[in-house]
Amino acid sequence: MQKDGSGAIWREVLAEVRENISEPAYESAYKNAVVHVDESGKITMRFPDPYMLHMVSTESNRCIEEAFSKRLGKPCQLELLADPVSMEEKTSDIQSIKTTDLIEQINRNKETLKQKHYDASVAASGDFRRTESIRLNPRYTFEQFVVGNHNQLAHAAAIAVAREPGEVYNPLFIYAKTGLGKTHLLQAIGHEVQGTRPESRVFFITSEAFTNELIEGIQHRERMSKFHRKYRNIDVLLIDDVHFLIGKPQTQEAFFHTFNTLHELGRQLVIASDRPPAELDTLEERLISRFEWGLTVDMSKPDFETRLAILNSKNQIRGFGLPMEILSRIASRVDSNIRELEGALTKMSAYQRLNHANLTIEEVDDVLAHMRRNLNKGCTPMPQDIMEEVAAHFKVSIDDLMGDKRTAKITVPRQLGMYFCRELTHLSLKDIGKAFGGKDHTTVIYAVTRVEERLGVDDVFARDAMILRARLKERFRQPTEE
């Protein structure tokens, strides 16, 4: 750096445009650049390694030009050079670096990228985790995941990835039908990495939410750089329901580049879908091929023994206290997926608590039969119908249920409404969220989980739920039902 004051100006510029620069580019490229500004306004930026030129972005460079122009009062143009020799020309404005030290620094930077530790951004990554880890369900851990023949390989692969992210099975692609534990495994990986590598940046998101954020970035150009920084500065990306990308070419394009960037930097990607890569019809071939770079594993329906083990585990964790005879009955009658299995367990606990007596096998069969009738296509309510009943019962408006207010007075009925939509309709999580004012997939999952938890421990809440269920049953009673 020359003694013309360019060094001081550069430090100011770098501080100003910091938020427009990705973490790897900032740590390994821009911070090591030598900058010179001549009288004509030409900015020459030299990097000690050609490798660093590939890390800088056009948008970041444009911001640098604008920042220099503002300070110098004239148009400036940036030129990038890979020139190791020029690094020795630094003056007292910036500490001089010897050639041997420079090589060591470059190697350290490359190793830093490989290991995904950014010492200069530990505080920032901590903030990132505190913000984004809200998306992780505290119950979705490896400790609470029941392993059986149907998911043994997927579980083993998830454990391996969580212990050595970016080193084995990258990407890890997990596919299974709805309700068989894909989301649980993805979030368990996130919890494990956060617990053993607290400096790592872990992010879980659904493809639907990814698409919505991209659309916002397209509509508001200033948000696009934030979108890129967010998704290309992650150590472990857990993306659920990737089949949602089908038929969305712009989202596929954005995810393709995000995938490439993270994979090239050795970051871990874990992807979940309802079908294997080869069956993702109309998804771009280049994306499918990348999904198949790592390991693809599937999860099937659990057998009776595993279903019983799942019920027993959930029964103990939540303190429901249901006898093994009832658990065995549920396991023998509910074999569709784990989500419905857990739903049946929660309902049995709620009925037992409200009746203040142990359920008989006949009563268990009645509850299970009622669940099946509610799933019968002939008597399915619409979200609007459910919202009307919920709003009337809790004395709130439908607009409140569809809005964003988070007071307890609104949140509780909103979550219960989502729960009944999940239980009584055939809508997907996406469609339920859309009906409630455009909420995303994870919001609905969280709502259903919170309701299930409260049903087992809150008698007043359970009574509200029973009253609403009875009203909905009466309103949509099947003609053949006595």
Side-chain angles (χ1 to χ4, degrees), residues 250-293:
Q250 277 189 296
T251 308
Q252 291 182 35
E253 180 75 17
F255 185 67
F256 173 79
H257 292 297
T258 297
F259 183 104
N260 280 349
T261 300
L262 294 178
H263 197 274
E264 288 172 3
L265 291 173
R267 315 297 173 78
Q268 180 67 53
L269 295 108
V270 185
I271 301 162
S273 175
D274 65 355
R275 69 204 82 166
E279 295 180 14
L280 292 169
D281 300 331
T282 76
L283 198 64
E284 288 189 14
E285 187 63 35
R286 59 180 181 171
L287 265 180
I288 294 175
S289 67
R290 278 158 177 75
F291 292 162
E292 295 175 334
W293 279 355

Short mmCIF file of all heavy atoms in Angstrom, two decimals, residues 250-293:
data_model
loop_
_atom_site.label_atom_id
_atom_site.label_comp_id
_atom_site.label_asym_id
_atom_site.label_seq_id
_atom_site.Cartn_x
_atom_site.Cartn_y
_atom_site.Cartn_z
N GLN A 250 -36.41 -21.15 -11.78
CA GLN A 250 -35.56 -20.14 -11.16
C GLN A 250 -35.03 -20.60 -9.81
O GLN A 250 -33.87 -20.37 -9.46
CB GLN A 250 -36.32 -18.81 -10.98
CG GLN A 250 -36.35 -17.96 -12.24
CD GLN A 250 -36.92 -16.57 -11.95
OE1 GLN A 250 -38.07 -16.44 -11.59
NE2 GLN A 250 -36.10 -15.56 -12.11
N THR A 251 -35.90 -21.28 -9.05
CA THR A 251 -35.46 -21.80 -7.75
C THR A 251 -34.43 -22.90 -7.94
O THR A 251 -33.45 -22.98 -7.20
CB THR A 251 -36.67 -22.34 -6.96
OG1 THR A 251 -37.69 -21.34 -6.90
CG2 THR A 251 -36.26 -22.71 -5.55
N GLN A 252 -34.63 -23.75 -8.94
CA GLN A 252 -33.66 -24.80 -9.23
C GLN A 252 -32.31 -24.19 -9.60
O GLN A 252 -31.25 -24.69 -9.18
CB GLN A 252 -34.17 -25.69 -10.36
CG GLN A 252 -35.37 -26.55 -9.96
CD GLN A 252 -35.81 -27.46 -11.10
OE1 GLN A 252 -35.00 -27.95 -11.87
NE2 GLN A 252 -37.12 -27.67 -11.20
N GLU A 253 -32.34 -23.13 -10.38
CA GLU A 253 -31.10 -22.47 -10.77
C GLU A 253 -30.36 -21.94 -9.55
O GLU A 253 -29.14 -22.12 -9.41
CB GLU A 253 -31.41 -21.31 -11.74
CG GLU A 253 -30.20 -20.55 -12.24
CD GLU A 253 -29.41 -21.32 -13.29
OE1 GLU A 253 -29.94 -22.28 -13.86
OE2 GLU A 253 -28.24 -20.94 -13.53
N ALA A 254 -31.10 -21.27 -8.65
CA ALA A 254 -30.49 -20.72 -7.45
C ALA A 254 -29.94 -21.83 -6.56
O ALA A 254 -28.82 -21.72 -6.02
CB ALA A 254 -31.51 -19.88 -6.67
N PHE A 255 -30.70 -22.91 -6.41
CA PHE A 255 -30.24 -24.00 -5.56
C PHE A 255 -29.05 -24.72 -6.19
O PHE A 255 -28.15 -25.17 -5.48
CB PHE A 255 -31.37 -25.00 -5.31
CG PHE A 255 -30.99 -26.09 -4.34
CD1 PHE A 255 -30.75 -25.79 -3.02
CD2 PHE A 255 -30.85 -27.40 -4.77
CE1 PHE A 255 -30.37 -26.77 -2.12
CE2 PHE A 255 -30.49 -28.40 -3.88
CZ PHE A 255 -30.25 -28.08 -2.56
N PHE A 256 -29.03 -24.81 -7.52
CA PHE A 256 -27.91 -25.44 -8.21
C PHE A 256 -26.60 -24.72 -7.87
O PHE A 256 -25.58 -25.35 -7.53
CB PHE A 256 -28.16 -25.40 -9.73
CG PHE A 256 -27.01 -25.87 -10.56
CD1 PHE A 256 -26.76 -27.22 -10.73
CD2 PHE A 256 -26.16 -24.96 -11.19
CE1 PHE A 256 -25.69 -27.66 -11.49
CE2 PHE A 256 -25.10 -25.39 -11.96
CZ PHE A 256 -24.86 -26.75 -12.12
N HIS A 257 -26.62 -23.39 -7.96
CA HIS A 257 -25.40 -22.62 -7.67
C HIS A 257 -25.06 -22.66 -6.18
O HIS A 257 -23.87 -22.70 -5.81
CB HIS A 257 -25.57 -21.18 -8.15
CG HIS A 257 -25.65 -21.05 -9.65
ND1 HIS A 257 -24.59 -21.41 -10.47
CD2 HIS A 257 -26.64 -20.64 -10.47
CE1 HIS A 257 -24.93 -21.21 -11.74
NE2 HIS A 257 -26.17 -20.75 -11.76
N THR A 258 -26.07 -22.66 -5.34
CA THR A 258 -25.82 -22.78 -3.90
C THR A 258 -25.18 -24.13 -3.59
O THR A 258 -24.21 -24.22 -2.84
CB THR A 258 -27.14 -22.63 -3.12
OG1 THR A 258 -27.68 -21.33 -3.34
CG2 THR A 258 -26.92 -22.83 -1.63
N PHE A 259 -25.73 -25.18 -4.18
CA PHE A 259 -25.20 -26.52 -4.00
C PHE A 259 -23.73 -26.57 -4.42
O PHE A 259 -22.87 -27.06 -3.68
CB PHE A 259 -26.03 -27.51 -4.82
CG PHE A 259 -25.62 -28.95 -4.66
CD1 PHE A 259 -26.37 -29.81 -3.90
CD2 PHE A 259 -24.47 -29.45 -5.29
CE1 PHE A 259 -26.00 -31.15 -3.75
CE2 PHE A 259 -24.09 -30.78 -5.15
CZ PHE A 259 -24.86 -31.63 -4.37
N ASN A 260 -23.44 -26.06 -5.61
CA ASN A 260 -22.07 -26.10 -6.12
C ASN A 260 -21.11 -25.35 -5.21
O ASN A 260 -20.00 -25.83 -4.91
CB ASN A 260 -22.01 -25.50 -7.53
CG ASN A 260 -22.48 -26.48 -8.59
OD1 ASN A 260 -22.66 -27.67 -8.31
ND2 ASN A 260 -22.70 -25.99 -9.79
N THR A 261 -21.51 -24.15 -4.78
CA THR A 261 -20.64 -23.34 -3.94
C THR A 261 -20.31 -24.06 -2.63
O THR A 261 -19.14 -24.16 -2.23
CB THR A 261 -21.29 -21.98 -3.62
OG1 THR A 261 -21.52 -21.28 -4.84
CG2 THR A 261 -20.39 -21.15 -2.72
N LEU A 262 -21.34 -24.57 -1.98
CA LEU A 262 -21.12 -25.24 -0.69
C LEU A 262 -20.32 -26.52 -0.87
O LEU A 262 -19.41 -26.82 -0.07
CB LEU A 262 -22.47 -25.54 -0.04
CG LEU A 262 -23.29 -24.32 0.40
CD1 LEU A 262 -24.63 -24.77 0.98
CD2 LEU A 262 -22.53 -23.49 1.41
N HIS A 263 -20.62 -27.28 -1.92
CA HIS A 263 -19.92 -28.55 -2.13
C HIS A 263 -18.44 -28.31 -2.43
O HIS A 263 -17.56 -29.03 -1.92
CB HIS A 263 -20.58 -29.32 -3.26
CG HIS A 263 -20.20 -30.78 -3.30
ND1 HIS A 263 -19.07 -31.23 -3.95
CD2 HIS A 263 -20.79 -31.88 -2.76
CE1 HIS A 263 -18.99 -32.54 -3.81
NE2 HIS A 263 -20.01 -32.96 -3.10
N GLU A 264 -18.15 -27.30 -3.24
CA GLU A 264 -16.76 -27.00 -3.58
C GLU A 264 -15.96 -26.56 -2.35
O GLU A 264 -14.76 -26.78 -2.26
CB GLU A 264 -16.70 -25.91 -4.66
CG GLU A 264 -17.14 -26.41 -6.04
CD GLU A 264 -17.26 -25.28 -7.04
OE1 GLU A 264 -16.95 -24.12 -6.68
OE2 GLU A 264 -17.68 -25.55 -8.18
N LEU A 265 -16.64 -25.91 -1.40
CA LEU A 265 -15.97 -25.46 -0.17
C LEU A 265 -15.94 -26.55 0.90
O LEU A 265 -15.47 -26.32 2.01
CB LEU A 265 -16.67 -24.22 0.38
CG LEU A 265 -16.53 -22.95 -0.45
CD1 LEU A 265 -17.41 -21.84 0.12
CD2 LEU A 265 -15.08 -22.49 -0.51
N GLY A 266 -16.44 -27.72 0.57
CA GLY A 266 -16.41 -28.83 1.51
C GLY A 266 -17.46 -28.76 2.59
O GLY A 266 -17.34 -29.40 3.63
N ARG A 267 -18.53 -28.01 2.34
CA ARG A 267 -19.61 -27.92 3.33
C ARG A 267 -20.57 -29.09 3.15
O ARG A 267 -20.72 -29.63 2.06
CB ARG A 267 -20.37 -26.60 3.17
CG ARG A 267 -19.48 -25.39 2.99
CD ARG A 267 -18.60 -25.11 4.21
NE ARG A 267 -17.66 -24.05 3.91
CZ ARG A 267 -17.96 -22.76 3.89
NH1 ARG A 267 -19.20 -22.37 4.12
NH2 ARG A 267 -17.04 -21.85 3.63
N GLN A 268 -21.24 -29.46 4.23
CA GLN A 268 -22.13 -30.62 4.20
C GLN A 268 -23.53 -30.24 3.74
O GLN A 268 -24.10 -29.25 4.19
CB GLN A 268 -22.22 -31.24 5.59
CG GLN A 268 -23.13 -32.46 5.67
CD GLN A 268 -22.58 -33.64 4.90
OE1 GLN A 268 -21.44 -34.03 5.10
NE2 GLN A 268 -23.39 -34.22 4.02
N LEU A 269 -24.09 -31.04 2.84
CA LEU A 269 -25.48 -30.90 2.41
C LEU A 269 -26.23 -32.18 2.73
O LEU A 269 -25.76 -33.27 2.41
CB LEU A 269 -25.57 -30.61 0.91
CG LEU A 269 -24.97 -29.27 0.45
CD1 LEU A 269 -23.67 -29.52 -0.30
CD2 LEU A 269 -25.94 -28.52 -0.45
N VAL A 270 -27.39 -32.01 3.36
CA VAL A 270 -28.27 -33.14 3.63
C VAL A 270 -29.64 -32.80 3.06
O VAL A 270 -30.20 -31.74 3.36
CB VAL A 270 -28.40 -33.45 5.14
CG1 VAL A 270 -29.22 -34.71 5.36
CG2 VAL A 270 -27.02 -33.61 5.76
N ILE A 271 -30.16 -33.67 2.22
CA ILE A 271 -31.36 -33.37 1.44
C ILE A 271 -32.39 -34.47 1.70
O ILE A 271 -32.06 -35.65 1.75
CB ILE A 271 -31.02 -33.32 -0.06
CG1 ILE A 271 -29.96 -32.24 -0.31
CG2 ILE A 271 -32.26 -33.05 -0.90
CD1 ILE A 271 -29.25 -32.38 -1.64
N ALA A 272 -33.65 -34.05 1.87
CA ALA A 272 -34.73 -35.02 2.08
C ALA A 272 -35.80 -34.84 1.02
O ALA A 272 -36.09 -33.72 0.59
CB ALA A 272 -35.33 -34.86 3.47
N SER A 273 -36.41 -35.95 0.62
CA SER A 273 -37.45 -35.92 -0.40
C SER A 273 -38.40 -37.08 -0.18
O SER A 273 -38.11 -38.01 0.59
CB SER A 273 -36.81 -36.01 -1.79
OG SER A 273 -37.80 -36.11 -2.81
N ASP A 274 -39.53 -37.03 -0.87
CA ASP A 274 -40.49 -38.13 -0.75
C ASP A 274 -40.24 -39.22 -1.79
O ASP A 274 -40.99 -40.19 -1.86
CB ASP A 274 -41.93 -37.62 -0.87
CG ASP A 274 -42.24 -37.02 -2.24
OD1 ASP A 274 -41.32 -36.92 -3.08
OD2 ASP A 274 -43.41 -36.65 -2.48
N ARG A 275 -39.20 -39.05 -2.60
CA ARG A 275 -38.86 -40.06 -3.61
C ARG A 275 -37.37 -39.97 -3.94
O ARG A 275 -36.74 -38.95 -3.66
CB ARG A 275 -39.71 -39.84 -4.87
CG ARG A 275 -39.37 -38.58 -5.65
CD ARG A 275 -40.51 -38.08 -6.51
NE ARG A 275 -41.46 -37.29 -5.73
CZ ARG A 275 -42.40 -36.52 -6.27
NH1 ARG A 275 -42.54 -36.47 -7.57
NH2 ARG A 275 -43.20 -35.82 -5.51
N PRO A 276 -36.78 -41.02 -4.54
CA PRO A 276 -35.36 -40.98 -4.86
C PRO A 276 -35.06 -39.99 -5.97
O PRO A 276 -35.97 -39.58 -6.71
CB PRO A 276 -35.06 -42.43 -5.30
CG PRO A 276 -36.37 -42.96 -5.75
CD PRO A 276 -37.40 -42.31 -4.87
N PRO A 277 -33.80 -39.57 -6.13
CA PRO A 277 -33.46 -38.56 -7.14
C PRO A 277 -33.94 -38.91 -8.54
O PRO A 277 -34.45 -38.05 -9.27
CB PRO A 277 -31.93 -38.52 -7.08
CG PRO A 277 -31.60 -38.91 -5.69
CD PRO A 277 -32.63 -39.94 -5.31
N ALA A 278 -33.78 -40.17 -8.93
CA ALA A 278 -34.14 -40.57 -10.29
C ALA A 278 -35.62 -40.41 -10.59
O ALA A 278 -36.02 -40.34 -11.75
CB ALA A 278 -33.71 -42.01 -10.53
N GLU A 279 -36.46 -40.36 -9.54
CA GLU A 279 -37.91 -40.25 -9.74
C GLU A 279 -38.43 -38.83 -9.54
O GLU A 279 -39.65 -38.61 -9.49
CB GLU A 279 -38.63 -41.20 -8.78
CG GLU A 279 -38.34 -42.67 -9.06
CD GLU A 279 -39.07 -43.59 -8.10
OE1 GLU A 279 -39.98 -43.11 -7.40
OE2 GLU A 279 -38.71 -44.77 -8.05
N LEU A 280 -37.53 -37.87 -9.43
CA LEU A 280 -37.95 -36.47 -9.30
C LEU A 280 -38.23 -35.92 -10.70
O LEU A 280 -37.42 -35.21 -11.30
CB LEU A 280 -36.86 -35.65 -8.59
CG LEU A 280 -36.66 -35.99 -7.11
CD1 LEU A 280 -35.40 -35.34 -6.57
CD2 LEU A 280 -37.88 -35.57 -6.30
N ASP A 281 -39.38 -36.26 -11.22
CA ASP A 281 -39.76 -35.91 -12.59
C ASP A 281 -39.69 -34.40 -12.82
O ASP A 281 -40.11 -33.61 -11.97
CB ASP A 281 -41.18 -36.39 -12.89
CG ASP A 281 -41.30 -37.89 -12.74
OD1 ASP A 281 -40.30 -38.58 -12.95
OD2 ASP A 281 -42.41 -38.36 -12.39
N THR A 282 -39.17 -34.02 -13.96
CA THR A 282 -39.03 -32.64 -14.45
C THR A 282 -37.99 -31.83 -13.68
O THR A 282 -37.76 -30.67 -14.01
CB THR A 282 -40.38 -31.86 -14.43
OG1 THR A 282 -40.70 -31.48 -13.08
CG2 THR A 282 -41.50 -32.67 -15.03
N LEU A 283 -37.37 -32.41 -12.66
CA LEU A 283 -36.27 -31.70 -12.02
C LEU A 283 -35.06 -31.76 -12.95
O LEU A 283 -34.81 -32.76 -13.61
CB LEU A 283 -35.92 -32.36 -10.68
CG LEU A 283 -35.12 -31.51 -9.68
CD1 LEU A 283 -35.92 -30.29 -9.24
CD2 LEU A 283 -34.75 -32.35 -8.46
N GLU A 284 -34.31 -30.66 -13.01
CA GLU A 284 -33.19 -30.58 -13.94
C GLU A 284 -32.22 -31.73 -13.74
O GLU A 284 -31.88 -32.09 -12.61
CB GLU A 284 -32.46 -29.25 -13.77
CG GLU A 284 -33.23 -28.06 -14.29
CD GLU A 284 -32.39 -26.80 -14.30
OE1 GLU A 284 -31.15 -26.91 -14.17
OE2 GLU A 284 -32.96 -25.71 -14.45
N GLU A 285 -31.74 -32.27 -14.84
CA GLU A 285 -30.84 -33.42 -14.81
C GLU A 285 -29.56 -33.11 -14.04
O GLU A 285 -29.03 -33.96 -13.31
CB GLU A 285 -30.50 -33.87 -16.24
CG GLU A 285 -29.69 -35.16 -16.31
CD GLU A 285 -30.44 -36.36 -15.74
OE1 GLU A 285 -31.67 -36.40 -15.90
OE2 GLU A 285 -29.79 -37.23 -15.14
N ARG A 286 -29.07 -31.88 -14.16
CA ARG A 286 -27.81 -31.53 -13.49
C ARG A 286 -27.99 -31.53 -11.97
O ARG A 286 -27.05 -31.83 -11.23
CB ARG A 286 -27.30 -30.17 -13.96
CG ARG A 286 -28.26 -29.01 -13.73
CD ARG A 286 -27.67 -27.71 -14.22
NE ARG A 286 -28.56 -26.57 -13.99
CZ ARG A 286 -28.22 -25.31 -14.17
NH1 ARG A 286 -27.00 -25.03 -14.61
NH2 ARG A 286 -29.06 -24.33 -13.93
N LEU A 287 -29.20 -31.20 -11.48
CA LEU A 287 -29.45 -31.27 -10.05
C LEU A 287 -29.53 -32.72 -9.59
O LEU A 287 -28.97 -33.10 -8.56
CB LEU A 287 -30.74 -30.54 -9.71
CG LEU A 287 -30.66 -29.08 -9.25
CD1 LEU A 287 -32.04 -28.53 -8.96
CD2 LEU A 287 -29.76 -28.94 -8.05
N ILE A 288 -30.25 -33.53 -10.36
CA ILE A 288 -30.39 -34.95 -10.02
C ILE A 288 -29.02 -35.62 -9.95
O ILE A 288 -28.74 -36.39 -9.02
CB ILE A 288 -31.29 -35.67 -11.04
CG1 ILE A 288 -32.73 -35.13 -10.95
CG2 ILE A 288 -31.26 -37.18 -10.82
CD1 ILE A 288 -33.67 -35.70 -11.99
N SER A 289 -28.15 -35.31 -10.91
CA SER A 289 -26.82 -35.92 -10.92
C SER A 289 -26.03 -35.52 -9.68
O SER A 289 -25.28 -36.32 -9.12
CB SER A 289 -26.06 -35.52 -12.18
OG SER A 289 -25.75 -34.13 -12.18
N ARG A 290 -26.21 -34.29 -9.23
CA ARG A 290 -25.49 -33.84 -8.03
C ARG A 290 -26.04 -34.49 -6.77
O ARG A 290 -25.28 -34.80 -5.85
CB ARG A 290 -25.53 -32.31 -7.93
CG ARG A 290 -24.47 -31.65 -8.80
CD ARG A 290 -24.78 -30.22 -9.15
NE ARG A 290 -23.69 -29.63 -9.91
CZ ARG A 290 -23.45 -29.89 -11.19
NH1 ARG A 290 -24.22 -30.75 -11.85
NH2 ARG A 290 -22.43 -29.33 -11.81
N PHE A 291 -27.33 -34.71 -6.73
CA PHE A 291 -27.92 -35.40 -5.59
C PHE A 291 -27.34 -36.80 -5.46
O PHE A 291 -27.28 -37.36 -4.36
CB PHE A 291 -29.44 -35.48 -5.73
CG PHE A 291 -30.14 -34.15 -5.63
CD1 PHE A 291 -31.44 -34.00 -6.09
CD2 PHE A 291 -29.50 -33.04 -5.08
CE1 PHE A 291 -32.09 -32.78 -5.99
CE2 PHE A 291 -30.14 -31.81 -4.97
CZ PHE A 291 -31.45 -31.69 -5.44
N GLU A 292 -26.94 -37.38 -6.57
CA GLU A 292 -26.44 -38.76 -6.57
C GLU A 292 -24.93 -38.84 -6.37
O GLU A 292 -24.36 -39.93 -6.39
CB GLU A 292 -26.83 -39.46 -7.88
CG GLU A 292 -28.35 -39.63 -8.02
CD GLU A 292 -28.76 -40.19 -9.37
OE1 GLU A 292 -28.00 -40.00 -10.34
OE2 GLU A 292 -29.84 -40.81 -9.45
N TRP A 293 -24.28 -37.69 -6.16
CA TRP A 293 -22.83 -37.70 -5.92
C TRP A 293 -22.47 -38.43 -4.63
O TRP A 293 -21.44 -39.07 -4.52
CB TRP A 293 -22.31 -36.26 -5.82
CG TRP A 293 -22.09 -35.60 -7.15
CD1 TRP A 293 -22.20 -36.16 -8.38
CD2 TRP A 293 -21.72 -34.23 -7.37
NE1 TRP A 293 -21.94 -35.23 -9.35
CE2 TRP A 293 -21.63 -34.04 -8.76
CE3 TRP A 293 -21.47 -33.16 -6.53
CZ2 TRP A 293 -21.29 -32.83 -9.33
CZ3 TRP A 293 -21.11 -31.93 -7.09
CH2 TRP A 293 -21.02 -31.77 -8.48
#
